[in-house]
Amino acid sequence: MAQFIDMLWLEQGLSDNTLSSYRSDLKSFRQFLLANNSDVDSASFEDIQSFQHHLVSLNRAKTSVTRMISALRRFYNFLQTSELISSNPMAKIVMPKADKKLPKTLSQQQVEALLAAPDLEDAIECRDSAMLELLYATGMRVTELVSLQMSQISLQQGVIRVVGKGNKERLVPMGEMAIDAIENYLKTARNELLKNASDVLFPSKRGTQMTRQTFWHRIKAYAVRANINVDLSPHTLRHAFATHLVNHGADLRVVQLLLGHSDLSTTQIYTHVAKARLQELHSQHHPRA
């Protein structure tokens, strides 16, 4: 199992969060097999089916079951390719179809309220304001945001070099509002937060790189301050960025490049969001809806 995780890290450059999910899924699978007098190396097609039924009996979300079965398929393909097993128990397993969920997002008015929530006179909140503006302006992931270095940003050119999944880089324009917020933060607050020399663009109050969990808690606090009652997720502003672009006529392939999606099908969910919004407006305002 450790060899498999090492391969994912070395050859595919998966993030620490993704690797952690793989470890957790495989550990759960091994524990299930051991409780049923089997093991990873000797698992059969019937064992995999039993594990699927076990997950369903636990009322696991369909997306969670799909992710775990996908992890097992990848794992057993690795074992077979490495000639560590003679037959692949996943060969005949049919992947469950995941429900297509529309991502939770915010209206433009709610985004404006959230961006206005931080107090720019406070150093930490001035930093948070610049982070929120940049998050909405670029659609980057929270993990990408908190790991930004000074060398990745060019205020003069108005672009930021984002390092995404698999260490893939993309250049994303920032927009005037984000540039203004970052310039203000760099002039007034960053030096106050730094405890020692560091290239981290948005240091924590300890002067080190912030964790994504810390920033996520701060987003939720600002949402409460702005009277936003939507059930937020770490990707909410990323979804708002993409949804608002599509709603204003942006080409889907451009949105794909900005988000750093490797597959256009991942980006196509935002066309459904746009259609859902149009249907909602039609039903509310059309006299014959």
Side-chain angles (χ1 to χ4, degrees):
M1 197 174 293
Q3 288 177 296
F4 172 62
I5 299 297
D6 287 343
M7 181 276 294
L8 293 177
W9 178 71
L10 286 168
E11 296 182 13
Q12 308 202 18
L14 298 185
S15 69
D16 290 341
N17 295 332
T18 304
L19 293 176
S20 178
S21 295
Y22 271 104
R23 287 192 193 94
S24 176
D25 291 345
L26 293 174
K27 182 180 178 181
S28 297
F29 176 59
R30 170 167 275 176
Q31 289 174 340
F32 172 81
L33 291 176
L34 292 175
N36 289 274
N37 302 313
S38 185
D39 201 356
V40 171
D41 296 339
S42 58
S44 65
F45 169 75
E46 288 74 21
D47 288 327
I48 306 292
Q49 280 193 317
S50 296
F51 182 59
Q52 274 186 294
H53 296 151
H54 169 68
L55 294 175
V56 172
S57 71
L58 295 176
N59 292 320
R60 291 286 185 90
K62 191 177 286 187
T63 52
S64 177
V65 176
T66 300
R67 190 199 72 227
M68 294 184 81
I69 298 304
S70 177
L72 291 181
R73 171 165 287 176
R74 203 165 184 175
F75 175 59
Y76 276 106
N77 284 342
F78 166 77
L79 293 182
Q80 188 173 35
T81 302
S82 303
E83 299 183 350
L84 297 174
I85 56 173
S86 56
S87 61
N88 189 339
M90 291 295 300
K92 295 181 181 178
I93 294 293
V94 177
M95 291 290 291
K97 289 185 177 180
D99 294 331
K100 185 172 280 187
K101 280 189 173 182
L102 296 180
K104 295 173 182 175
T105 188
L106 298 174
S107 68
Q108 289 177 238
Q109 291 76 15
Q110 287 172 321
V111 170
E112 292 294 338
L114 182 64
L115 297 181
D119 176 7
L120 299 183
E121 298 301 318
D122 178 89
I124 289 178
E125 296 203 13
C126 181
R127 175 205 64 193
D128 294 344
S129 173
M131 294 178 78
L132 288 169
E133 287 283 0
L134 189 58
L135 200 60
Y136 178 58
T138 63
M140 68 172 64
R141 302 172 180 90
V142 173
T143 302
E144 296 168 344
L145 177 74
V146 297
S147 61
L148 282 174
Q149 305 291 300
M150 288 289 291
S151 57
Q152 291 176 242
I153 191 166
S154 173
L155 294 175
Q156 185 175 5
Q157 295 180 353
V159 297
I160 191 160
R161 178 169 52 84
V162 182
V163 181
K165 292 183 177 180
N167 287 324
K168 293 180 180 177
E169 294 186 0
R170 63 188 189 276
L171 286 178
V172 183
M174 291 184 288
E176 290 184 11
M177 298 292 284
I179 291 172
D180 289 346
I182 293 169
E183 284 181 337
N184 179 56
Y185 155 71
L186 292 177
K187 288 177 183 176
T188 63
R190 184 171 181 270
N191 287 337
E192 185 177 331
L193 297 175
L194 284 175
K195 306 300 181 185
N196 45 50
S198 173
D199 195 38
V200 176
L201 178 58
F202 298 116
S204 68
K205 62 182 179 181
R206 296 186 181 89
T208 57
Q209 181 174 311
M210 193 188 314
T211 65
R212 63 192 183 92
Q213 290 87 353
T214 296
F215 184 61
W216 176 234
H217 287 310
R218 299 196 63 78
I219 290 179
K220 291 196 288 187
Y222 291 125
V224 171
R225 190 184 296 181
N227 294 317
I228 297 172
N229 299 316
V230 176
D231 185 17
L232 303 179
S233 80
H235 272 343
T236 299
L237 277 177
R238 178 171 164 85
H239 294 320
F241 162 82
T243 303
H244 298 167
L245 279 176
V246 172
N247 283 344
H248 284 82
D251 183 89
L252 207 58
R253 290 198 179 276
V254 173
V255 178
Q256 177 193 1
L257 291 172
L258 294 173
L259 291 174
H261 285 160
S262 57
D263 193 332
L264 184 61
S265 62
T266 310
T267 317
Q268 283 175 332
I269 186 69
Y270 294 106
T271 62
H272 297 288
V273 174
K275 288 176 184 175
R277 176 63 178 152
L278 288 174
Q279 289 171 346
E280 179 186 341
L281 289 171
H282 182 274
S283 63
Q284 286 180 357
H285 301 293
H286 196 279
R288 292 180 179 271

